[in-house]
């Protein structure tokens, strides 16, 4: 837990700086989409992004305003009959 309640009578939320144990649950819920599809979507978002990270880790805007339109990337469109 990132926060915990002090309890009655205050019921105030306090940031947990190690006073209580913290737990992380992996794969606690069934996946809605596959890991491969998720990774592909993340790659597409990164490609379409208008910012890039420099060597210092700060964000820099790309020179083109609409980077997706000028990159020449083709998007798979469903066949409409």
């Amino acid at each position: 837990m990132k926060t915990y309640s002090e309890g009655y009578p205050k019921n105030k939320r306090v940031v947990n700086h190690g006073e209580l144990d913290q737990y992380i649950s992996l794969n606690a819920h069934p996946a809605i989409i596959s890991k491969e599809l998720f990774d592909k979507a993340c790659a597409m978002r990164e490609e379409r992004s208008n910012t890039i990270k420099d060597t210092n880790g700060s964000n820099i805007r790309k020179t083109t305003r609409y980077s997706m339109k000028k990159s020449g990337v083709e998007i798979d469109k469903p066949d409409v009959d």
Side-chain angles (χ1 to χ4, degrees):
M1 279 182 20
K2 293 181 181 180
T3 62
Y4 64 94
S5 177
E6 286 185 344
Y8 185 80
K10 293 182 182 179
N11 290 331
K12 182 179 176 185
R13 299 300 294 180
V14 181
V15 177
N16 187 5
H17 293 289
E19 297 88 2
L20 298 176
D21 291 336
Q22 298 183 8
Y23 302 96
I24 297 175
S25 297
L26 301 176
N27 300 321
H29 301 285
I32 297 172
I33 61 172
S34 67
K35 177 74 171 143
E36 294 79 25
L37 184 59
F38 177 78
D39 291 338
K40 186 175 179 181
C42 289
M44 288 178 73
R45 285 188 66 195
E46 182 68 29
E47 186 176 306
R48 293 178 183 188
S49 175
N50 196 24
T51 60
I52 55 174
K53 294 217 183 263
D54 66 357
T55 55
N56 297 330
S58 60
N59 288 333
I60 298 176
R61 295 261 178 222
K62 291 182 181 176
T63 56
T64 58
R65 182 171 179 173
Y66 302 106
S67 60
M68 185 62 190
K69 291 185 178 182
K70 295 183 181 182
S71 67
V73 176
E74 294 184 23
I75 301 172
D76 295 334
K77 295 182 181 179
D79 294 333
V80 179
D81 292 329

